[in-house]
Amino acid sequence: MRYLTAADIKKVFSMRQAIEADREALSLYSAGRADIPLRTNIDVPEHNGQSLYMPGYVSSSQPALGIKIVSVYPDNPQKDLPSVPATMITLDATTGVVNAVLDGTYLTQLRTGAIQGLATELLSRSNSSQALLIGTGGQAMSQLLAMLTVRPLKKIYIYDLDQKRATDFAQQAAKKFSRQFAAEFLPIADPDQVVAQVDIITTVTTSHRATFDGQLVKSGTHINGIGAYTPDMCEMPTEVLQKADCIIFDTMDGVLAEAGDIIQPVEKRQLSKNNFTGELGQLINKKILGRTSQNQITVFKTVGTAAVDVVAADRIVKAAQQAKVGTILN
Amino acid sequence: MRYLTAADIKKVFSMRQAIEADREALSLYSAGRADIPLRTNIDVPEHNGQSLYMPGYVSSSQPALGIKIVSVYPDNPQKDLPSVPATMITLDATTGVVNAVLDGTYLTQLRTGAIQGLATELLSRSNSSQALLIGTGGQAMSQLLAMLTVRPLKKIYIYDLDQKRATDFAQQAAKKFSRQFAAEFLPIADPDQVVAQVDIITTVTTSHRATFDGQLVKSGTHINGIGAYTPDMCEMPTEVLQKADCIIFDTMDGVLAEAGDIIQPVEKRQLSKNNFTGELGQLINKKILGRTSQNQITVFKTVGTAAVDVVAADRIVKAAQQAKVGTILN
């Protein structure tokens, strides 16, 4: 058995590798090759907590089997612990033996960034040079890296409700990425200042209302909705969804069950299921079309799936085995 | 996070401690303090395997939360791997953080032995001096130790379909236990030779028919049915169940769903639910009576529950923390 910390994973697995793992996972998912049972939730009311168990299996020549354990304990920060601790367990699908334990928080950041990178690579204009990132929480840095990885961005505007956080984040980003990418990281006070000029908008918040003005979105823009992962959250403006030429989800079942961005306008009959083009895996599998002209507005929405966790984790473990990275447990 | 091998667990946790952990777990289970969701099964048909996920939570002043992952891969022995590899993951129920990974095979052996030890301590005559053990597979040594731990046994007869295995097992048992316990370990060719003279019978097989002649069972005997964990298996003779004065299960739901010993005679109307006294936890909680005279025949049947896994694992992890045993992972 192998134990992999976030630092171990960083050593052996790049954002580009994560994007390729996600591409495989979502392609197999949409082709019906994934078995993702219903999540099991256990409430721990005495400690104001909940613990979620998300196993999955994805069948291919490199089969991936495992379970992500995610807990939600809102009081944890008072104890200097993360409020959403996560651990990933992988099994060798050919023998059923548990073969690795991975930092689940970093895995989630990496694979969620990579899902967006994949969508941005498939849906945004290839000459996109400006992006807007809304939200600078725990998932944001990976979202930024994913955009930088797939498009030749020159300017990335950074917005957060808390201006100081946006400024700090932009500084951190410059420090982290300026050697690798020729991009400027520009904190801004109001996202609507730049909505009309950027090529890509990525919003990653827990907002309950639109984080930018949809009327300002110009033709040709690609929009990623990464946050808003419950039915009562919403961060993408409904106007944009109404005028979008192409709306793609990571999984149809997941988004229609969990994403308030989509569920709320459907319930209000502002959108119908005919507005939804299909799944990212179907696009990869060439079963549907994505962007077909430079002038179209494209939208991607993700809530995640265990299919991506198990495939990404499996590929990380294989890379770590090859590179002899991680702590070996007898 | 802490990683505990079988050897680590042996260092810090005795059969007596396991019996006390199981007592707590089953008492809390029967008092409605356990949340044990349905097991999730994932089939891996390409590799003739199945992977089972069994999470659970038991609420008390020492809350226990975790998941046991058990795979069933019948072709594994050809690869020199166990056909049923198992791993236990524990979480700190107060924070939701994964705090240990344990050898699940040894945990299962230990906690299953301990369930029987607990039942034998509560149901058999306290002066029991002779026992019969039927079956010498992977679970048998722990079953033997459990009986030795709770009763002053002088003679234990060992039976297996394969006589050589029984002889080898008796020799191993003598080597393992003769310093600690003043008992003889006697392989026999036919269990029915001794059924009428022993005080305790423990059968732990995957048989599809009774492993001994129920008509020979004398009054005062206590019988443990530990194997036969699927509806089509059966190792306890129906006659014994019919004449028993007290029939106790580890969990009513589990046994009535999984144990062929019990399900088959109920379906044939040879037994009714009125024959079943209740759960071991109810006996511990003094909600039902167990043996009330020396002459009664008592029967215990277990199929296991995640409640016992999570409590036993939690207590093992706490003991390992105190003793600073195991591999610490940052």
Side-chain angles (χ1 to χ4, degrees):
Chain A
M1 198 186 311
R2 189 176 295 265
Y3 176 67
L4 298 173
T5 63
D8 293 331
I9 298 172
K10 282 175 197 172
K11 267 184 228 163
V12 299
F13 215 70
S14 66
M15 177 57 76
R16 174 47 72 186
Q17 286 171 292
I19 289 171
E20 296 314 314
D22 285 7
R23 189 192 306 268
E24 239 188 296
L26 291 177
S27 165
L28 291 163
Y29 178 92
S30 293
R33 302 283 294 280
D35 180 4
I36 309 298
L38 274 184
R39 180 173 75 196
T40 300
N41 298 356
I42 294 184
D43 286 322
V44 182
E46 295 86 347
H47 300 283
N48 190 27
Q50 194 181 37
S51 149
L52 316 174
Y53 299 85
M54 293 171 277
Y57 170 56
V58 178
S59 164
S60 79
S61 59
Q62 288 190 68
L65 178 64
I67 181 168
K68 190 159 80 173
I69 304 174
V70 178
S71 297
V72 182
Y73 277 65
D75 304 336
N76 267 3
Q78 295 162 25
K79 304 175 191 170
D80 276 330
L81 288 171
S83 55
V84 188
T87 301
M88 180 78 204
I89 314 288
T90 58
L91 288 79
D92 179 336
T94 67
T95 64
V97 173
V98 168
N99 63 359
V101 177
L102 294 82
D103 181 313
T105 302
Y106 183 66
L107 173 73
T108 302
Q109 288 168 6
L110 181 63
R111 67 78 152 155
T112 306
I115 291 177
Q116 178 260 96
L118 179 61
T120 299
E121 189 161 45
L122 292 168
L123 292 169
S124 74
R125 283 178 294 107
S126 58
N127 62 350
S128 296
S129 66
Q130 296 197 26
L132 165 62
L133 177 68
I134 300 175
T136 62
Q139 297 290 327
M141 199 59 83
S142 177
Q143 294 298 325
L144 178 55
L145 176 56
M147 287 192 285
L148 288 166
T149 300
V150 301
R151 287 295 178 248
L153 299 176
K154 296 290 164 244
K155 289 188 181 177
I156 298 132
Y157 298 97
I158 314 276
Y159 173 73
D160 196 284
L161 277 179
D162 179 339
Q163 274 201 53
K164 171 140 182 19
R165 271 184 65 172
T167 307
D168 291 350
F169 182 90
Q171 281 174 359
Q172 280 174 48
K175 215 165 153 182
K176 249 184 147 76
F177 301 133
S178 57
R179 266 193 300 181
Q180 199 182 344
F181 302 101
E184 283 179 278
F185 304 95
L186 306 161
I188 49 168
D190 178 358
D192 291 334
Q193 286 175 340
V194 298
V195 163
Q197 80 191 61
V198 297
D199 306 299
I200 301 166
I201 299 171
T202 295
T203 176
V204 54
T205 73
T206 54
S207 181
H208 286 69
R209 53 193 192 131
T211 55
F212 58 96
D213 183 348
Q215 295 185 331
L216 300 175
V217 173
K218 68 170 186 200
S219 65
T221 308
H222 171 67
I223 295 145
N224 295 302
I226 311 297
Y229 49 83
T230 65
D232 62 321
M233 291 178 186
C234 174
E235 56 178 357
M236 286 196 292
T238 299
E239 298 97 297
V240 165
L241 296 164
Q242 286 169 328
K243 67 182 174 186
D245 299 282
C246 175
I247 300 180
I248 304 264
F249 302 149
D250 57 347
T251 73
M252 200 57 84
D253 286 352
V255 168
L256 294 178
E258 294 172 23
D261 284 329
I262 305 299
I263 294 170
Q264 293 172 23
V266 167
E267 275 176 359
K268 291 181 197 147
R269 299 180 186 278
Q270 295 166 332
L271 279 183
S272 86
K273 294 192 183 176
N274 296 330
N275 290 86
F276 308 141
T277 313
E279 292 180 344
L280 200 58
Q282 294 176 295
L283 181 60
I284 296 162
N285 298 342
K286 303 196 194 308
K287 302 292 183 195
I288 58 171
L289 291 173
R291 172 183 294 278
T292 55
S293 94
Q294 295 292 88
N295 299 323
Q296 290 182 333
I297 292 177
T298 53
V299 173
F300 175 65
K301 175 67 197 174
T302 172
V303 294
T305 161
V308 166
D309 292 316
V310 297
V311 172
D314 183 83
R315 304 308 183 254
I316 290 167
V317 171
K318 289 200 168 89
Q321 285 167 346
Q322 273 216 314
K324 300 194 194 305
V325 163
T327 308
I328 304 296
L329 304 166
N330 49 335
Chain B
M1 198 187 312
R2 190 176 294 265
Y3 176 67
L4 298 173
T5 63
D8 292 331
I9 298 172
K10 282 175 196 169
K11 268 184 224 162
V12 298
F13 215 70
S14 67
M15 177 57 76
R16 173 48 72 186
Q17 286 170 290
I19 290 170
E20 296 313 317
D22 285 6
R23 189 192 307 269
E24 240 187 297
L26 291 177
S27 164
L28 291 163
Y29 178 93
S30 293
R33 302 282 295 279
D35 180 4
I36 309 298
L38 274 183
R39 181 172 72 194
T40 300
N41 299 355
I42 295 185
D43 287 321
V44 183
E46 296 85 348
H47 300 283
N48 190 25
Q50 195 181 37
S51 150
L52 316 174
Y53 300 85
M54 294 171 280
Y57 170 56
V58 178
S59 163
S60 77
S61 59
Q62 287 189 71
L65 178 64
I67 182 167
K68 191 160 80 174
I69 304 174
V70 178
S71 296
V72 182
Y73 276 66
D75 305 335
N76 267 2
Q78 296 162 24
K79 305 174 191 171
D80 276 331
L81 287 172
S83 56
V84 188
T87 302
M88 180 79 203
I89 313 288
T90 58
L91 288 79
D92 179 334
T94 68
T95 66
V97 173
V98 168
N99 63 359
V101 177
L102 295 80
D103 181 316
T105 302
Y106 183 66
L107 173 73
T108 303
Q109 288 167 6
L110 181 63
R111 68 79 153 155
T112 307
I115 291 177
Q116 178 259 98
L118 179 61
T120 300
E121 189 161 45
L122 292 168
L123 292 170
S124 74
R125 284 178 293 106
S126 58
N127 62 351
S128 296
S129 66
Q130 296 196 25
L132 166 61
L133 177 67
I134 300 176
T136 63
Q139 296 290 328
M141 200 59 84
S142 178
Q143 294 297 325
L144 177 55
L145 175 57
M147 288 193 284
L148 288 165
T149 300
V150 300
R151 287 294 179 248
L153 299 176
K154 296 288 164 248
K155 289 186 179 175
I156 297 131
Y157 299 97
I158 314 277
Y159 173 75
D160 195 284
L161 278 178
D162 178 340
Q163 273 200 57
K164 168 134 184 20
R165 270 184 67 171
T167 307
D168 290 349
F169 183 90
Q171 281 173 359
Q172 280 175 47
K175 215 164 154 184
K176 245 182 148 75
F177 300 133
S178 57
R179 266 193 298 181
Q180 200 183 343
F181 301 102
E184 284 180 279
F185 304 96
L186 307 161
I188 50 169
D190 177 359
D192 291 334
Q193 286 174 341
V194 298
V195 163
Q197 80 191 60
V198 296
D199 308 299
I200 300 166
I201 299 172
T202 295
T203 176
V204 54
T205 74
T206 55
S207 180
H208 287 71
R209 56 197 190 127
T211 54
F212 58 96
D213 183 348
Q215 294 185 332
L216 300 174
V217 172
K218 68 170 187 203
S219 65
T221 307
H222 171 67
I223 295 146
N224 295 303
I226 312 297
Y229 49 83
T230 66
D232 62 320
M233 293 179 185
C234 174
E235 55 178 357
M236 288 197 289
T238 299
E239 300 97 298
V240 165
L241 295 164
Q242 287 170 327
K243 67 183 176 184
D245 299 281
C246 176
I247 300 181
I248 304 263
F249 302 149
D250 57 348
T251 73
M252 198 57 83
D253 287 351
V255 168
L256 294 178
E258 294 174 21
D261 285 329
I262 303 300
I263 293 170
Q264 293 173 23
V266 168
E267 276 178 0
K268 291 182 197 144
R269 298 177 187 279
Q270 294 165 333
L271 279 182
S272 87
K273 293 190 183 180
N274 296 330
N275 290 86
F276 309 141
T277 313
E279 293 180 344
L280 199 58
Q282 294 177 296
L283 181 60
I284 295 162
N285 297 343
K286 302 195 192 313
K287 301 293 184 194
I288 57 171
L289 291 173
R291 173 181 293 279
T292 55
S293 93
Q294 295 292 89
N295 299 323
Q296 290 181 334
I297 291 176
T298 53
V299 173
F300 175 65
K301 175 69 198 175
T302 172
V303 294
T305 161
V308 166
D309 291 317
V310 296
V311 173
D314 182 83
R315 304 309 183 254
I316 289 167
V317 171
K318 289 202 169 86
Q321 284 166 345
Q322 274 217 313
K324 300 192 194 304
V325 163
T327 308
I328 304 296
L329 304 166
N330 50 334

